[in-house]
Amino acid sequence: MENLNLRHLYYFWVISREGSIARASEVLDLAPQTLSGQLATFEGSVGGRLFSRERRRLILTELGHLVQSYADEIFELTGELSETLRSGPEDRPLSLSAGISASVHKLIAYYLLDPAMKLRRPVQLECRTGRTEDLLMSLKRKELDVVLTDRMPRAESPERFAVHPLSQSTISLFAAPALAEKLRPGFPGSLNSQPLLANATDAPYFQKLMNWFNLNNVRMNLVARVDDSALIKVFGRDGVGVFAAPTMIKDEVCRQYQVSLIASLDEVTDQLYAITRSRNLAHEGVRAICEVRERLL
């Protein structure tokens, strides 16, 4: 065959990742008819069908799987090269775009980002908060360099992200001083029927907390869901209810929000992750964040 057309290979690769020409056309900003024609041309050049159709889905053929395996390596390497070149000379500022899940406590997010800010070269940091799913879409589009989150990507996600475990902390319960003082005697039975503030009910640590309540025959009254780690502490400070936060930042939480510790729950933990497009960390700032694991675990 003639020299491989890398643009056609890239179009095929995006289609294989998205699972349909319609979705791939949105990613590539091309008309579906144009993309379909480019795919047909590429199939002609490689000498066989790369997809078979099952209902409305495109399924990779044996040849398609073979080509995709090479394409994965090629475009992972080109992505790393692009990030390396984007970093530029050491005397130029390093651009770092980080996505932070709204449910991640901002004090911990600061600790995780801090190693990148302490690199020898200056760093221009851009932070974006939001839902993990939305941030991962931005990571996929190369709008972000890393996503800091408290949950793994969904198992059914077609994207191939690299997941780097970071810090793990037990969970503690906090409340306004008067409420905390009332609840410490007789803990955990004292929590029964007391108001509870949930940071995010789908967060992994929250499910563990609910299981701990059930095992200890505790029935709290969920009064609010506040999907922002700073705002929930403001509600807690004003006596609206009890809230949970990682034990590793308990002193800062109490000092900054004038709340008091009720108790620490050794059986309930919160795990944080850094998610990147590639296991090979070419970006110096992202590498510094991921290497913080040994210091925080």
Side-chain angles (χ1 to χ4, degrees), residues 135-147:
L135 296 173
L136 291 178
M137 285 298 297
S138 295
L139 180 67
K140 170 188 168 184
R141 298 189 189 106
K142 299 186 178 180
E143 297 168 0
L144 295 172
D145 299 307
V146 62
V147 171

Side-chain angles (χ1 to χ4, degrees), residues 220-290:
M220 296 193 71
N221 178 25
L222 182 59
V223 295
R225 296 180 178 88
V226 185
D227 195 13
D228 184 280
S229 62
L231 183 58
I232 194 172
K233 297 178 183 66
V234 176
F235 277 92
R237 179 192 65 195
D238 288 347
V240 178
V242 175
F243 68 91
T247 305
M248 64 189 300
I249 57 170
K250 68 179 190 305
D251 292 339
E252 284 294 320
V253 169
C254 291
R255 180 190 64 80
Q256 185 171 338
Y257 295 95
Q258 290 114 45
V259 295
S260 296
L261 174 70
I262 300 172
S264 296
L265 313 179
D266 293 340
E267 302 88 346
V268 183
T269 58
D270 187 29
Q271 174 71 58
L272 295 178
Y273 307 91
I275 302 180
T276 60
R277 288 184 294 275
S278 170
R279 175 62 58 181
N280 190 352
L281 302 175
H283 193 292
E284 187 179 358
V286 175
R287 187 165 61 249
I289 291 170
C290 292

Side-chain angles (χ1 to χ4, degrees), residues 6-112:
L6 288 179
R7 178 175 295 180
H8 289 167
L9 176 63
Y10 180 68
Y11 290 165
F12 155 76
W13 184 63
V14 174
I15 295 170
S16 69
R17 288 167 62 89
E18 295 299 323
S20 76
I21 288 178
R23 288 202 296 270
S25 66
E26 294 178 3
V27 173
L28 296 168
D29 195 23
L30 291 172
Q33 297 85 349
T34 301
L35 192 55
S36 181
Q38 299 281 11
L39 175 62
T41 300
F42 185 57
E43 287 181 323
S45 69
V46 300
R49 298 291 299 275
L50 298 172
F51 295 100
S52 61
R53 287 189 176 273
E54 290 186 10
R55 298 180 182 176
R56 295 186 177 182
R57 296 182 63 238
L58 293 178
I59 306 299
L60 286 167
T61 63
E62 185 175 348
L63 176 61
H65 279 291
L66 175 65
V67 176
Q68 185 195 48
S69 67
Y70 281 95
D72 284 341
E73 295 184 22
I74 290 170
F75 293 115
E76 180 174 319
L77 286 173
T78 57
E80 293 171 10
L81 175 59
S82 177
E83 289 189 358
T84 300
L85 294 175
R86 185 164 61 88
S87 298
E90 290 189 3
D91 59 344
R92 277 174 40 192
L94 176 66
S95 174
L96 174 61
S97 297
I100 303 170
S101 294
S103 54
V104 172
H105 293 267
K106 301 307 182 284
L107 288 170
I108 290 184
Y110 171 77
Y111 292 147
L112 295 178

